Structure formats: C-alpha cells, structure tokens
C-alpha cells in the first residue's frame, strides 16, 4: 500500500473533498478495481455475453410468420376513421334491441333489452380516413347502455371484413388514442431527462433497446415455433446486459449486478418451470391466448406463460441488484477497512427494507391487473379456495410468488457477491497510483487520526 503513504501530508482538512470524490465515482463511474479483479469478473461476464450474442444469432426469427387473418379479436384488418355526424334516434326505429318474447325483465339481459328498446340510440356516420377505401362512409348505431359512446369529430379505429356484405364491411372497433398516448410518452421522456439528465437519456435508450429486443426477437421467435423458455432467457439476458451497462456504465459494480440478476433469473426459471408443470397450468385461459393457440397451435402455451414470468420479473430484478451493489460499494468507500462479513451485514439490512417494499409492489401490480377478475369472483361470492384454485387466478399466484421468491433471493445473493468482490479488491496491487489513491483517500483521514 505505497500509494496512500506517498500522498501529501495535509489530509485532515480535506475529508469533504475525499467524500465528494468517492461520491462522484459512485454515481458517475464506479470506483476503480484492481486488474486482477477485473480479469476475474471479465472471465465470468464475457463468456455469458458471448453466449447471449450467439443465442440471438441462432434463434433470430427474421420476421413474423404470415397467416390468413381470421377477423377475430386483434386479428382483424383495421383502418383509421373519423365520426363526422351523430344523430339521436329512437332505438325502436333502428331495431337496436329486441325485448325477450316472454317479456321477462327480471334478468339483467331482459332489463337491458327493454332499456335499449325504449331508450334513445346514437346513429353515427363514420368516414374511413386511411387505406384503399379512404373517404368511404358507413353508419354505426350505438345503444344507450354501450360502454363506449361516439361524438362528432372523434377519431376511431374501424375494423374491415372483406368477406362481409358491402354495407357491413366496416364497423367501429375502438377509439383512436394516438394523440393522448403520444403526448403522455413525451411528458414521460421529458420528466426522465429533466431529472436524470445524461442518465435519463441513457435510460430511455435502454428502454428503446428493450422494446426492440421484445418486438424484433422474442415475439417473432416464439411465433416461429422456437422454445419460449429458451427465447425468453436469451432475450431477457440481452435486455439485462444492454440496460445495466448503458445506464450504469461498464464497471465492476455493474458486472456484479449482472451476475446477481442472472442467478436470480435462473432461480425464477427453475421454480416457474417446476410449479407451472406441477399445477398443470396450460397458459391458455382467455380469448387472447385461445386465439394465439388457434392461429399457431405449435406454440407451447405453458412455456409462453413461463417466458412471461421471466420477462416480467426482469425489470424489478435490475432495480434490486443495482441498488444492493451500489449500497455495498458506498459502504466500502465509507469504511475501506470493513471486511466482507461486515459489508454483507450492513448491506443486507438495507436489502430487508427493499424486500418489503418490492414484494408488496409486485403483488399489488399483479392484483391491480387482475382486479376485474377478482371482482367477478367477489360478486359470485366464491370462497378463497375456489378462487385460488381456478386457473386464471392460479396463474397470477404462481407468477407473483415465483417472481417474489426470485426478488427476495436476489438481495442476499447480490449483496454477498458485491461484498466479496469489493473486499477482495486490492487496488494498490494492480492499478496505477492515480486509480488506487481514490479509495485510499476516502477513509484514510479518519483511520490515520485513529
């Protein structure tokens, strides 16, 4: 440790400068580590990154396979449209609904039919604004109890059925939300850049890379018939490497977070595979998955479910592993004499708070997504056991618990890796005096005085 002893003497007045120097390394480039330690980390990360690249090349799909459109659900031809006129008419005049022959209005469907027969409907004239039939108009009747009402000047998405009679070829399928969605995305990007600055810009770039991997590799490869689990692991690994190194720099600290995330992802994959098979979860539980299975019967739907578990857990895993690694690095810079056990104990105390908040966040996120389904079970007054045993809810339970176990495991795994790496570092043995001096000055003032 010749580097600390060769520094100039007037150190006691400079602890604030030493602190700022260490802080800069923590939130800009990480504190440098020895050449030997960099070689050890590279020996782990480089083969892994190489395997990911090879996997991307081997499974690259080359586009989404073509199929004949069914005209069902999302598998329809659509164009843009605009509501040019809305006129109120009696529902009876347009034959919008028929009262049940028995006249029974005690059922919800009977009461709804009576309301629609006696109520006031909206007769909307819609103009197609894109495609070969641009300028063509058609009439859409909207019943009074319909969840989506149309207004004049509103942009809509229209579905096109080429095999239907000419007057029935077009119908309104949804509202055009491009403008508010684009504006919201712009506000999000500006907020991220305003607060995060360069880090915010890199985070947005990493987000774009994640979407690119998802849409250009993961989804088309699964549709081509590749194993969903293998594709998800390769794609998630590529996203992880791009996001972490873009946002946090190519440093030893980031590499430790990468290894911790990888170990946690492997655990999630193993547990997910075990319990999805054990619980006989087919992955085909709603209209969307049923349509996918109908169009591409060779897709392994249970494997698709497992792939969703892995990809869905990745974003939160990155946050946990980076936070724990950064915490251990900061603790080491605050007290370079602390051994790996002390670093681990201090880091795990931080991690326990992180576990509590992250697990709660993950559970609430899945519960919020499944809230309409849970509401239906509540209306039916089903027991908790009945609700949990249904495949729709069981999928969410397995997804939540497997992901949460991986998140919980990532805290001690990443913390112990970071503690071992940073405490094993000997900058004076393998780095120049300029790089070794940074961590030495961080704690020397207090230690020398002691």
């Amino acid at each position: 440790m010749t580097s600390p002893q060769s520094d100039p003497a007037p150190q006691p007045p400079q602890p604030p400068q030493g602190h700022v120097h260490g802080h800069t390394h923590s939130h800009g480039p990480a504190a440098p580590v020895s050449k030997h330690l960099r070689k050890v980390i590279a020996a782990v990360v480089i083969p892994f990154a190489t395997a990911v690249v090879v996997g991307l090349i081997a499974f690259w799909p080359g586009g989404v396979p073509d199929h004949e459109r069914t005209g069902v659900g999302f598998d329809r031809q659509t164009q843009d449209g605009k509501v040019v006129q809305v006129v109120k008419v009696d529902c009876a005049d347009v034959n919008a609904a028929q009262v049940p022959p028995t006249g029974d209005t005690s059922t919800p469907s009977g009461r709804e039919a009576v309301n629609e027969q006696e109520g006031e409907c909206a007769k909307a004239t819609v103009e197609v604004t894109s495609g070969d039939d641009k300028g063509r108009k058609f009439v859409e009747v909207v019943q009074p109890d319909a969840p989506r009402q149309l207004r004049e000047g509103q942009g809509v998405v229209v579905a096109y059925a080429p095999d239907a009679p000419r007057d029935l070829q077009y119908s309104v399928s949804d509202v055009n939300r491009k403008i508010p969605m684009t504006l919201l995305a712009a506000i999000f990007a500006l907020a991220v850049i305003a607060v995060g600055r360069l880090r915010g810009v890199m985070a947005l770039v990493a987000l774009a890379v994640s979407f690119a991997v998802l849409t250009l590799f993961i989804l088309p490869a699964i549709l081509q018939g590749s194993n969903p689990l293998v594709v998800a692991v390769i794609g998630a690994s590529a996203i992880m490497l791009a996001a972490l190194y873009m946002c946090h720099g190519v440093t030893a600290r980031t590499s430790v977070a990468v290894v911790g995330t990888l170990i946690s992802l492997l655990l999630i994959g193993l547990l997910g595979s075990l319990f999805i098979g054990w619980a006989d979860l087919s992955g085909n539980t709603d209209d969307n998955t049923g349509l996918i299975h109908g169009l591409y019967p060779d897709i392994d739907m249970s494997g698709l479910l497992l792939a969703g578990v892995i990809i869905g857990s990745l974003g939160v895993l990155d946050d946990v592993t980076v936070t724990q690694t950064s915490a251990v690095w900061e603790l080491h810079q605050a007290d370079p004499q602390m051994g790996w056990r002390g670093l681990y104990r201090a880091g795990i105390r931080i991690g326990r708070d992180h576990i509590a908040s992250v697990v709660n966040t993950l559970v609430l996120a899945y519960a919020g997504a499944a809230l309409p389904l849970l509401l239906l079970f509540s209306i039916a007054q089903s027991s908790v056991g009945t609700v949990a045993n249904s495949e729709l809810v069981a999928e969410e339970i397995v997804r939540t618990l497997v992901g949460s176990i991986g998140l919980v495991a990532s805290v001690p795994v990443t913390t112990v890796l970071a503690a071992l790496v940073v405490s094993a570092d000997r900058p004076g043995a393998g780095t120049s005096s300029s790089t070794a001096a940074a961590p030495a000055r961080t704690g020397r003032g207090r230690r020398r005085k002691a």
Side-chain angles (χ1 to χ4, degrees), residues 374-407:
L374 297 177
L375 186 60
L376 287 176
F377 280 111
S378 179
I379 293 173
Q381 297 182 349
S382 302
S383 65
V384 175
T386 301
V387 172
N389 190 65
S390 66
E391 184 168 3
L392 272 172
V393 178
E395 277 189 6
E396 299 302 325
I397 292 175
V398 171
R399 192 195 312 269
T400 302
L401 296 183
V402 167
S404 297
I405 291 172
L407 289 174

Side-chain angles (χ1 to χ4, degrees), residues 10 24-25 33 42 108 154 161 166 190 197 247 255 258 261 265 274 308 310 346 355 382 399 401 419:
T24 302
H25 276 298
V33 296
Q154 185 178 29
R166 179 175 173 81
L190 289 175
R197 299 189 179 182
C247 295
S255 299
V258 166
T261 304
L265 280 178
L274 172 62
I310 293 174
I355 287 173
S382 302
R399 192 195 312 269
L401 296 183

